[in-house]
Amino acid sequence: MLGDDTFGDASSSDASSGDTASGDRPGRRALILVENLSVPFDRRVWQECTTLRDAGWEVHVICPQGSKRDTEPEAEIDGVRIHRYPLRAATGGPAGYLREYGSALWHTARLARKVGPVDVVHACNPPDLLFLPARWLKRRGARFVFDQHDLVPELYLSRFGRGEDLLYRAVCALERMTYRAADIVLATNESYRDVAVRRGGRKPEDVFVVRSAPDTGRFHPVPPEPELKRGKPHLLCYLGVMGPQDGVDYALRSLAKLRDEVGRTDWHAVFVGGGDTFDAMVELSGRLGLSDQVQFTGRIPDADLVRYLSTADVCLSPDPHNPLNDVSTMNKVLEYMVMGRPLVSFDLREARVSAGDAALYAPANDESEFARLIALLLDDPERRARMGRIGQERINGPLAWRNSQASLLAAYAAACRDRPPVAARGPYRAGKRPRR
């Protein structure tokens, strides 16, 4: 996702639920561990932080520093205490990941000692290595909540295409160890919950679905700006990360087919976001002859993002069918929906769960049909408006964050059941554990 602010919809009813989560005992402390994004840039984590804060928890976060934002080593934002460490992203294959993850684990352990005793350590994958500092904290009285953002074995298969080799078996073993170490598991959707029960051997009552949801206080439509269409009648928009499994190449090839096979040039397309394949996607756009019609913005401020989405006629969700994407909830889909935009997606199981009738679905990885469905929506403004309304109703109804807030607080209540809050408040000392 592209940016985060404090979630602003915590109501009095949410706060009363927080009293239950803290067991009517003051002084509960939570430590959230994140490795692959900074906070509050990671919006899901930030929403969890503020929900817990509003429920009376003292919340600490350990995460990497960002490159352009979230750069301070220490920060307290809206009552959440954030401890950040320097981290260089992996390059050069497996050895690069070993360096990245080794550095992250060392800094995480160092900062966890500084934070001191906590009631709950809440680890967000990837990678499935944060169970190591979590297990150290468990030995000192904490309960371990595993927040499974990604299915790492499926991520490995989808991103690297190496099959079920030795490294695949290794990431499966790490996932099993993480499941085994956790007291409670948070799943982002029912497909992930099924994996936790079926593959992870978890009891169903110990797995809670906490869906990601856009901040409806921050994302809301503004008047469209026709000049963003660069003189064309229609604007197409892609929002999100640009990595090997995210399908930006599928979107670009579909746009080339929209031009060449469907005969449509009455559109301008904007791709918002960055990632590992950004430069390669700009190059691919040029090779396909799309440079005059496709604009790459990189990461942009939220206000500009809202302008583009408010002006877009159709949004693109080109994630190809693969073992990870089929069972994952795409943040871009939810953000298109909260803005009232219709979208075209490949036919993925969880895409249908999220978008329902707010999207049209092309057969798996069929770029020609993806292009045809774009054209179908461009020709039908009434259908676009109807699909946009459906998306907003779903975001404000069954997919609303308030439902996930209740599930998160219930998970914390289950983790802390019959356990008093931590008594100590100073940093750990060698050989000492908090007294209970």
Side-chain angles (χ1 to χ4, degrees):
M1 294 215 199
L2 304 180
D4 282 274
D5 288 313
T6 302
F7 182 79
D9 284 341
S11 65
S12 57
S13 61
D14 297 325
S16 64
S17 299
D19 294 337
T20 301
S22 59
D24 294 324
R25 302 184 184 101
R28 290 289 193 190
R29 306 179 88 220
L31 173 60
I32 300 180
L33 310 180
V34 189
E35 192 277 342
N36 68 331
L37 285 176
S38 63
V39 175
F41 183 75
D42 188 322
R43 186 178 306 116
R44 172 185 170 86
V45 171
W46 187 242
Q47 288 176 315
E48 291 172 331
C49 289
T50 55
T51 295
L52 292 168
R53 176 208 63 199
D54 290 346
W57 285 73
E58 178 184 321
V59 182
H60 293 258
V61 180
I62 296 175
C63 65
Q65 292 172 276
S67 57
K68 295 182 179 179
R69 56 173 294 172
D70 301 341
T71 57
E72 306 88 349
E74 299 280 340
E76 181 169 336
I77 303 174
D78 295 335
V80 177
R81 303 173 192 184
I82 305 174
H83 314 266
R84 303 189 184 108
Y85 54 86
L87 186 67
R88 188 175 66 180
T91 57
Y97 284 99
L98 184 63
R99 287 191 297 271
E100 175 187 336
Y101 295 154
S103 174
L105 289 173
W106 184 84
H107 283 294
T108 297
R110 172 180 64 83
L111 292 170
R113 183 179 293 273
K114 176 182 177 181
V115 170
V118 295
D119 295 279
V120 170
V121 54
H122 174 154
C124 308
N125 83 330
D128 286 338
L129 287 168
L130 293 176
F131 77 93
L132 294 170
R135 207 160 58 177
W136 179 78
L137 289 162
K138 280 191 68 172
R139 291 199 296 267
R140 285 149 180 81
R143 301 286 278 175
F144 174 25
V145 172
F146 172 40
D147 192 350
Q148 191 163 27
H149 291 192
D150 279 312
L151 300 176
V152 175
E154 283 80 359
L155 175 62
Y156 180 83
L157 291 175
S158 301
R159 185 179 180 102
F160 298 108
R162 295 164 54 116
E164 297 183 4
D165 60 2
L166 180 61
L167 284 175
Y168 171 79
R169 293 194 291 274
V171 297
C172 288
L174 291 172
E175 183 188 69
R176 287 194 299 271
M177 286 186 276
T178 301
Y179 280 134
R180 193 175 301 127
D183 297 294
I184 295 293
V185 176
L186 306 182
T188 58
N189 58 41
E190 292 292 343
S191 294
Y192 278 33
R193 184 177 187 273
D194 179 66
V195 169
V197 173
R198 175 177 46 82
R199 190 164 78 197
R202 301 300 318 203
K203 296 178 180 178
E205 60 268 26
D206 291 336
V207 185
F208 294 77
V209 174
V210 178
R211 292 184 173 276
S212 298
D215 184 346
T216 55
R218 185 173 63 91
F219 272 107
H220 51 82
V222 299
E225 301 180 29
E227 60 271 20
L228 297 179
K229 299 183 179 185
R230 300 283 183 92
K232 299 289 187 176
H234 303 293
L235 180 67
L236 311 177
C237 189
Y238 170 91
L239 160 66
V241 176
M242 298 185 188
Q245 74 276 10
D246 294 305
V248 176
D249 53 335
Y250 284 82
L252 292 171
R253 289 191 294 267
S254 295
L255 294 181
K257 292 178 184 296
L258 180 64
R259 178 196 61 197
D260 299 335
E261 295 181 5
V262 186
R264 299 293 292 265
T265 60
D266 57 342
W267 50 268
H268 175 69
V270 60
F271 284 70
V272 179
D276 296 346
T277 64
F278 180 88
D279 291 339
M281 294 302 99
V282 174
E283 181 183 355
L284 175 60
S285 176
R287 291 203 309 271
L288 293 170
L290 293 171
S291 297
D292 291 339
Q293 283 189 266
V294 174
Q295 173 188 359
F296 290 86
T297 68
R299 288 178 173 147
I300 58 177
D302 288 344
D304 291 332
L305 169 59
V306 167
R307 291 169 55 230
Y308 280 114
L309 289 178
S310 296
T311 306
D313 297 287
V314 178
C315 288
L316 311 178
S317 185
D319 308 85
H321 186 282
N322 60 40
L324 178 68
N325 290 345
D326 191 44
V327 295
S328 296
T329 300
M330 302 303 172
N331 291 324
K332 67 174 75 68
V333 169
L334 304 175
E335 290 172 343
Y336 298 155
M337 291 165 63
V338 77
M339 295 293 292
R341 301 299 96 184
L343 62 127
V344 176
S345 170
F346 289 121
D347 196 356
L348 307 176
R349 184 193 320 176
E350 284 295 332
R352 283 189 176 273
V353 170
S354 294
D357 291 335
L360 297 182
Y361 303 93
N365 307 347
D366 186 334
E367 295 164 355
S368 293
E369 183 63 10
F370 198 95
R372 190 190 72 79
L373 292 178
I374 294 173
L376 183 68
L377 286 179
L378 292 182
D379 288 336
D380 195 341
E382 291 184 3
R383 188 174 189 177
R384 296 201 306 265
R386 183 171 64 252
M387 291 170 64
R389 288 193 297 271
I390 290 171
Q392 289 181 317
E393 289 168 0
R394 292 179 63 77
I395 288 293
N396 289 304
L399 302 181
W401 174 245
R402 62 179 176 272
N403 300 322
S404 288
Q405 284 181 305
S407 186
L408 173 66
L409 296 177
Y412 266 63
C416 294
R417 187 174 294 119
D418 301 324
R419 296 174 71 91
V422 292
R425 283 295 176 266
Y428 290 124
R429 291 175 289 177
K432 299 291 184 181
R433 298 186 185 186
R435 297 177 63 185
R436 295 255 173 202

